[in-house]
Amino acid sequence: MQSDRILTRDFVLVTFTSLFCILNYFFLLIIIVDFAETLGGSPFMGGLAAGVYVISGLASRLFFGKYIEMVGRKRMLLIGLASAVAVSFLYPFASSMALLIAVRLVHGVTYGISSTCSNDIVAKLVPPKRRGEAMGYYFLNATAAMAIGPLIGMVLADSDSFTLVFNLGTLMYISALLCALFIRVPEEDLTHEQRSEAKGFGIRSVLQLSAVPLALTSMVFYLSYSGVLSFISSYTEGTPMEGPATFFFLSVAAGTLISRFYTGRLYDSRGPNVVLIPAMTLFIIGLAVYAVTSNPYAFLCSGFLIGYGISNVFAICQTIVIATAPPHRYGVTTATFNSINDLGSGLGPSIMGILVIALGYSEMYLVCVLIAIGSLALYWFAHGRAVHAGAARNLYYKEGIADGHGDLPRREDLRHHDHRFQGREPHAHHPPDEGARGR
């Protein structure tokens, strides 16, 4: 029987593995445009060097995700990290824009493999009954990297020591590789049919279709957030928020950190609607304040609300799609979710740039508010409405019941597998007993 412990040795190791990978991403993201300019590249070419990393990572997730369980979770992780270390050594030798874009292209592929594998591994390591809480703790790595990475990158960039940033980024991947070497990873014993499915190139072999609706929800949500990430410096320049903007992402990180410590447990005990609907609503309020305020204190408070929202949407949506997928499809599921989600972050800056030119900054951010409202509506119709049933929802998410294809089980199926539903409808006022077991 799997232990209900979360903070195991292997969980900590895979969390630090992911942390080091994300730190590398933020270190380089901050300086890559400036480095491109030293090679004679235009701002557009610098943006291309930054964006091609995301696009190649997206493609690699879709292509390699289906091989994770077939090749082995740990083996694929080590391949991705070792390749990332090798590519990281090439940055100082990128003497032209063509070479830089080529390095970024390959580096994005290695990051896509590594991040998909680490997310797959942690999903397998954690107890299903506490998956929401565990994934919340796991994604603290992104919170820490978001707070630390840009700050260190900006400090080092001010010293004009690009080589130092590249070397520090390489050190992060070496540290990730060392952590990964000692992770004990449970592997899947695939049947012949499952291996045949993984070797195919049909749509179902590279995509977990049940993950698509929530992946689209997350993508639209992060599309609205991309405007904050991309244009905060230009938006605040010459305004009363220019000074506080330096601390804005610390405020975002504070909101993220606070939510991580209890929303996962709330998800495990009461389901996703209780977490996601308030979190998305607070994000919308924060983004609206961010769009119109000229008060520095309100500006920083908006960062806290935005951070609270973004901390939950990605983590909870990914937790849901994993809970509804069979274990031998975890790799494909995480690859599907992350690939679609990355489209929001990858395409967002270009779309928001067009809106800025056409409308102006405040109006662009108000459009982002509307996009965020759209993502909330999309969540409700894609998933939230289906789990509004109360006790059936609670049993499903606490016990991880799925039908083997990642589909939401029918209410009568839940009653069939739990004697407590005999003779009555599941109802929010009659939650299932804590110790009951599902399928």
Side-chain angles (χ1 to χ4, degrees):
M1 178 181 294
Q2 184 178 12
S3 170
D4 280 347
R5 286 182 59 210
I6 293 176
L7 297 179
T8 62
R9 166 186 175 275
D10 298 310
F11 179 87
V12 172
L13 283 172
V14 74
T15 299
F16 274 96
T17 298
S18 181
L19 170 64
F20 291 133
C21 292
I22 301 173
L23 280 173
N24 174 280
Y25 168 76
F26 278 112
F27 288 162
L28 299 186
L29 180 65
I30 294 299
I31 60 98
I32 203 67
V33 174
D34 292 335
F35 179 69
E37 291 179 357
T38 67
L39 301 178
S42 65
F44 171 78
M45 294 300 292
L48 180 62
V52 73
Y53 182 97
V54 176
I55 300 303
S56 62
L58 183 155
S60 72
R61 286 191 178 105
L62 287 176
F63 182 79
F64 290 105
K66 66 176 186 170
Y67 293 109
I68 292 176
E69 274 75 27
M70 186 168 62
V71 174
R73 294 185 172 103
K74 182 173 181 177
R75 186 178 300 173
M76 281 290 288
L77 177 61
L78 294 177
I79 290 172
L81 291 174
S83 301
V85 171
V87 174
S88 296
F89 279 114
L90 299 178
Y91 276 98
F93 302 102
S95 56
S96 68
M97 280 304 304
L99 287 175
L100 178 61
I101 290 174
V103 171
R104 294 289 289 172
L105 185 71
V106 179
H107 194 187
V109 171
T110 65
Y111 177 75
I113 295 172
S114 303
S115 60
T116 301
C117 289
S118 59
N119 291 350
D120 182 14
I121 288 170
V122 79
K124 188 64 177 177
L125 288 174
V126 302
K129 289 179 65 175
R130 301 182 67 188
R131 184 175 278 129
E133 180 184 0
M135 297 303 282
Y137 294 149
Y138 171 71
F139 284 117
L140 279 172
N141 58 39
T143 304
M146 181 175 62
I148 299 170
L151 181 62
I152 294 176
M154 285 189 290
V155 170
L156 295 179
D158 288 341
S159 67
D160 293 326
S161 180
F162 295 114
T163 300
L164 182 58
V165 179
F166 293 144
N167 289 340
L168 185 60
T170 303
L171 179 61
M172 291 299 99
Y173 265 123
I174 293 173
S175 301
L177 180 59
L178 291 175
C179 287
L181 286 171
F182 296 98
I183 301 173
R184 296 169 298 195
V185 181
E187 303 289 359
E188 295 297 324
D189 186 15
L190 301 183
T191 65
H192 175 73
E193 290 77 10
Q194 290 167 350
R195 287 187 175 275
S196 298
E197 179 185 8
K199 291 177 181 178
F201 286 93
I203 188 70
R204 291 184 178 275
S205 68
V206 296
L207 289 177
Q208 180 67 19
L209 297 181
S210 63
V212 171
L214 285 178
L216 289 172
T217 299
S218 185
M219 182 201 75
V220 173
F221 181 85
Y222 277 90
L223 177 66
S224 70
Y225 180 56
S226 66
V228 177
L229 287 173
S230 304
F231 297 102
I232 183 172
S233 296
S234 302
Y235 175 54
T236 58
E237 186 176 0
T239 71
M241 288 88 72
E242 185 173 6
T246 305
F247 306 100
F248 180 81
F249 286 106
L250 290 178
S251 181
V252 171
T256 301
L257 182 65
I258 289 175
S259 72
R260 290 283 192 229
F261 285 110
Y262 76 92
T263 53
R265 291 195 296 271
L266 190 61
Y267 162 85
D268 287 329
S269 62
R270 300 187 63 186
N273 288 0
V274 177
V275 177
L276 279 180
I277 293 175
M280 297 175 87
T281 302
L282 289 176
F283 174 86
I284 291 166
I285 294 171
L287 192 55
V289 172
Y290 178 93
V292 301
T293 189
S294 58
N295 184 294
Y297 297 104
F299 180 74
L300 291 177
C301 287
S302 74
F304 183 89
L305 295 178
I306 288 171
Y308 186 96
I310 62 172
S311 71
N312 286 293
V313 173
F314 179 87
I316 298 299
C317 285
Q318 179 161 289
T319 302
I320 294 170
V321 300
I322 290 172
T324 56
H328 76 278
R329 297 277 293 179
Y330 280 175
V332 176
T333 301
T334 55
T336 300
F337 182 86
N338 284 280
S339 296
I340 295 175
N341 179 77
D342 284 352
L343 284 174
S345 302
L347 299 178
S350 299
I351 296 173
M352 298 307 156
I354 295 171
L355 291 176
V356 166
I357 294 171
L359 303 174
Y361 284 108
S362 291
E363 292 77 7
M364 179 269 288
Y365 284 121
L366 290 175
V367 172
C368 288
V369 171
L370 295 177
I371 294 172
I373 293 172
S375 72
L376 175 56
L378 184 59
Y379 167 73
W380 178 254
F381 289 107
H383 195 80
R385 183 173 56 174
V387 296
H388 191 56
R393 173 207 63 201
N394 215 352
L395 175 67
Y396 169 57
Y397 284 100
K398 287 172 72 63
E399 303 298 336
I401 298 174
D403 68 354
H405 299 285
D407 296 325
L408 189 69
R410 297 174 301 173
R411 187 175 298 179
E412 54 267 30
D413 293 334
L414 287 170
R415 289 199 302 270
H416 175 74
H417 287 280
D418 196 308
H419 65 86
R420 289 169 294 125
F421 290 131
Q422 296 298 325
R424 65 179 176 91
E425 282 289 301
H427 193 274
H429 297 295
H430 301 284
D433 301 328
E434 192 66 30
R437 302 298 299 175
R439 189 182 334 183

